[in-house]
Amino acid sequence: MSGKHAAGGLRPPGGPRARLLLALVAVAALLTGVSVWLTGGDEDGTGDDRTAPTGNGLPPDAASGAPPSGPCAPTKILVPQCGAWWGAYVPYPEDGSSLTEAVRAHEKRIGRKLDLLYTYHDMSNTEIDGTLLTPDEIELGRDRMLMLAWETTVWKEKHHAGYTETPLGWKNVAAGEFDEKVIDPQARRLKAYGKRVFFSLDQEVDARIKEGQGTPEEYVAAYRHVQSRFKALGVTNVVWVWTVSGYLGNKALMKSLYPGDAYVDWLGMDQYNYFTCHDTTDWKDFDRSQRPTYDWLRAEISPDKPIMLAEFSTVPDPDNPLRKRDWFTQIPRTVKTMPGIRALVQWNRTVPGDGCDLTVNEGPGLTGYREAGKNGYFKQPVPGR
């Protein structure tokens, strides 16, 4: 969720602490005894050897449950073996109620539980937006996987409401200026949580150059530095997702931002069918909106790393309401022809501008999304701890 929202469709991406100690103490007390979920497997996550959770028991709202077993069980880096994860980004409610309530209401609408919940945070160290693993996330993570996007910015509004932010600068992150007060405390929270989480540092990174974050070389250094801090602190339950907008006018830029195979577990892309939104006029069905970037990632970044549609959705066609339904219903058939896609995360929030409703909260879009989500390809065994 960069400054524009972060909706990287096929168009040039635009430019769009006091409670920390108490929070750490509370979480540490809450999560005492939490064990690390270990799904064995070799370094690339392709093996099938698994180990059950260990420890002296789990606190009441910790993630729980034995790791899945069998031929469809996910690998060490959370790759589902018989299909793809079905996920979503669900925004905080405007009325101030909890994210837990919003997610459960969303699941009731779509007729199924999400495999994967995508949330966003800045580096403010504030109680909710700047805290990795809020109480809501811990609760929701009991029977869902979490995808945490961490932005090297400080948001100017709660929950990034207006998509405005203050960049901290990649060179400053790489130099260790935020280690002691920001990075290390949040890394310890992740370690205490124990369950594996997907993690993305500055998603849609190619859109952030114009926002003043720095150069590609500085991003790579910052990314590697954050990963090195996590490793130094013993954080082993993070699955690293490198996420770009996927706008192919940025091909050279995206390639220069890649941290390297040794630092990345999954590739992420954020492609949309904007149609009337952002001054576009071309309706792109699901295949046309996703395949070009998918093919480019396979050819130019990695031929075998799993790919996540880290954000995707479509606006409606005001002249043909059923078009949005059909856009979603074609997903199960089409995604199987792009077998590297192992997770799909629908962006369920409007973005600034006319004709920019990307939600599936009602109408034909909801009908199509519900139907797609019932497909067996998206019914994979979700890990507990």
Side-chain angles (χ1 to χ4, degrees):
M1 177 166 39
S2 73
K4 28 177 195 334
H5 108 60
L10 289 173
R11 81 305 175 229
R17 301 249 192 232
R19 299 179 185 164
L20 176 61
L21 181 58
L22 289 176
L24 289 172
V25 171
V27 171
L30 179 67
L31 298 182
T32 299
V34 173
S35 60
V36 176
W37 172 57
L38 295 174
T39 356
D42 18 5
E43 285 294 53
D44 62 1
T46 57
D48 195 47
D49 180 35
R50 292 182 166 72
T51 305
T54 60
N56 299 319
L58 298 169
D61 58 353
S64 59
S69 60
C72 292
T75 68
K76 184 177 181 180
I77 58 168
L78 300 180
V79 180
Q81 297 298 283
C82 302
W85 304 125
W86 195 247
Y89 161 65
V90 179
Y92 279 87
E94 294 183 0
D95 64 6
S97 54
S98 74
L99 181 62
T100 298
E101 293 174 7
V103 169
R104 289 176 177 164
H106 180 71
E107 290 176 332
K108 184 176 181 179
R109 281 193 300 270
I110 67 174
R112 61 160 291 166
K113 181 173 289 185
L114 296 169
D115 298 326
L116 190 161
L117 177 66
Y118 199 174
T119 60
Y120 296 79
H121 296 274
D122 67 359
M123 285 192 169
S124 64
N125 274 346
T126 52
E127 185 176 5
I128 299 297
D129 289 335
T131 301
L132 302 183
L133 294 165
T134 64
D136 278 335
E137 288 169 335
I138 293 170
E139 181 176 356
L140 291 164
R142 293 183 65 182
D143 46 7
R144 301 165 190 81
M145 293 174 292
L146 298 176
M147 167 76 168
L148 306 175
W150 204 18
E151 301 187 3
T152 59
T153 66
V154 173
W155 300 342
K156 294 184 179 180
E157 311 91 6
K158 186 177 181 179
H159 304 328
H160 214 195
Y163 303 109
T164 58
E165 58 204 8
T166 301
L168 298 180
W170 291 324
K171 67 178 181 181
N172 300 322
V173 174
E177 292 189 16
F178 304 103
D179 288 359
E180 183 178 351
K181 292 185 178 180
V182 181
I183 294 172
D184 292 1
Q186 300 304 331
R188 293 187 183 101
R189 295 174 69 89
L190 286 170
K191 181 179 179 180
Y193 179 61
K195 184 178 180 179
R196 292 189 184 277
V197 298
F198 292 104
F199 181 88
S200 178
L201 185 71
D202 277 333
Q203 75 293 341
E204 291 202 10
V205 61
D206 50 307
R208 298 177 182 274
I209 302 291
K210 292 182 179 179
E211 294 173 357
Q213 282 285 40
T215 67
E217 294 78 14
E218 289 168 345
Y219 170 74
V220 170
Y223 181 105
R224 293 179 178 181
H225 177 77
V226 172
Q227 192 170 118
S228 73
R229 291 307 308 156
F230 280 30
K231 289 182 177 180
L233 293 167
V235 183
T236 60
N237 55 313
V238 165
V239 176
W240 294 84
V241 186
W242 176 74
T243 309
V244 291
S245 75
Y247 166 62
L248 292 182
N250 276 355
K251 288 188 291 187
L253 178 58
M254 288 189 291
K255 199 165 185 178
S256 70
L257 288 158
Y258 187 55
D261 286 347
Y263 299 89
V264 175
D265 297 315
W266 285 60
L267 309 178
M269 54 182 272
D270 295 358
Q271 285 292 288
Y272 293 79
N273 172 43
Y274 277 126
F275 193 42
T276 55
C277 181
H278 294 308
D279 300 320
T280 59
T281 57
D282 181 22
W283 178 272
K284 298 176 179 67
D285 63 15
F286 178 78
D287 187 278
R288 284 188 61 217
S289 69
Q290 307 300 317
R291 192 178 298 275
T293 302
Y294 171 84
D295 288 344
W296 181 83
L297 287 171
R298 273 284 174 258
E300 299 296 332
I301 301 298
S302 172
D304 52 18
K305 286 189 182 294
I307 292 175
M308 177 184 295
L309 305 187
E311 295 176 14
F312 81 97
S313 200
T314 180
V315 299
D317 180 348
D319 296 324
N320 183 357
L322 296 183
R323 219 174 183 186
K324 186 168 184 176
R325 178 200 66 187
D326 297 342
W327 196 93
F328 286 109
T329 57
Q330 72 174 241
I331 290 177
R333 178 183 69 254
T334 304
V335 80
K336 293 171 188 177
T337 69
M338 295 180 274
I341 296 175
R342 311 311 292 273
L344 297 85
V345 183
Q346 188 262 337
W347 170 272
N348 200 55
R349 181 176 175 180
T350 59
V351 299
D354 295 331
C356 294
D357 182 4
L358 296 162
T359 67
V360 292
N361 293 335
E362 59 186 3
L366 175 58
T367 300
Y369 186 73
R370 282 174 62 97
E371 182 178 334
K374 293 177 182 178
N375 191 277
Y377 196 70
F378 307 121
K379 294 181 179 178
Q380 302 302 311
V382 177
R385 182 157 292 278

